[in-house]
Amino acid sequence: MTNDRFAEITRKNMDLIKKANFIIRSSIEQRTEVSGLLLKILSECETEEDQIVVFAQILAKQEQQIITQVFNSLQ
């Protein structure tokens, strides 16, 4: 997938990505509950390609949070 195509699909699914980011930032402690909500978001995607891009964005947000937590713990 080209970068342009990835960006296009990201723009198309921005509302779903924002919902996913909200869930990730929430204070929900149960991993199964968070997972279920994220799975529901993925099921709202129109195509498998959309799901892949939304999932990649979810993973990127998770990675960003982990890096931030590690950085903050080192200070």
Side-chain angles (χ1 to χ4, degrees):
M1 174 182 309
T2 66
N3 288 338
D4 289 340
R5 181 70 178 138
F6 184 87
E8 177 186 331
I9 295 171
T10 296
R11 281 190 298 275
K12 173 184 166 189
N13 291 287
M14 189 51 68
D15 288 341
L16 294 176
I17 293 167
K18 286 179 181 179
K19 284 182 191 180
N21 288 337
F22 178 81
I23 291 166
I24 291 169
R25 288 190 318 266
S26 73
S27 59
I28 301 171
E29 293 182 17
Q30 294 293 322
R31 287 185 195 170
T32 53
E33 186 175 356
V34 171
S35 298
L37 292 169
L38 293 175
L39 185 59
K40 185 173 189 286
I41 287 172
L42 289 176
S43 72
E44 294 177 33
C45 293
E46 293 177 11
T47 67
E48 183 176 325
E49 193 176 37
D50 290 347
Q51 288 177 332
I52 291 167
V53 171
V54 171
F55 191 60
Q57 295 289 2
I58 290 169
L59 291 176
K61 183 64 175 179
Q62 284 288 71
E63 289 173 357
Q64 180 184 14
Q65 278 191 325
I66 291 168
I67 291 169
T68 300
Q69 289 171 355
V70 169
F71 180 75
N72 288 339
S73 70
L74 295 174
Q75 291 183 343

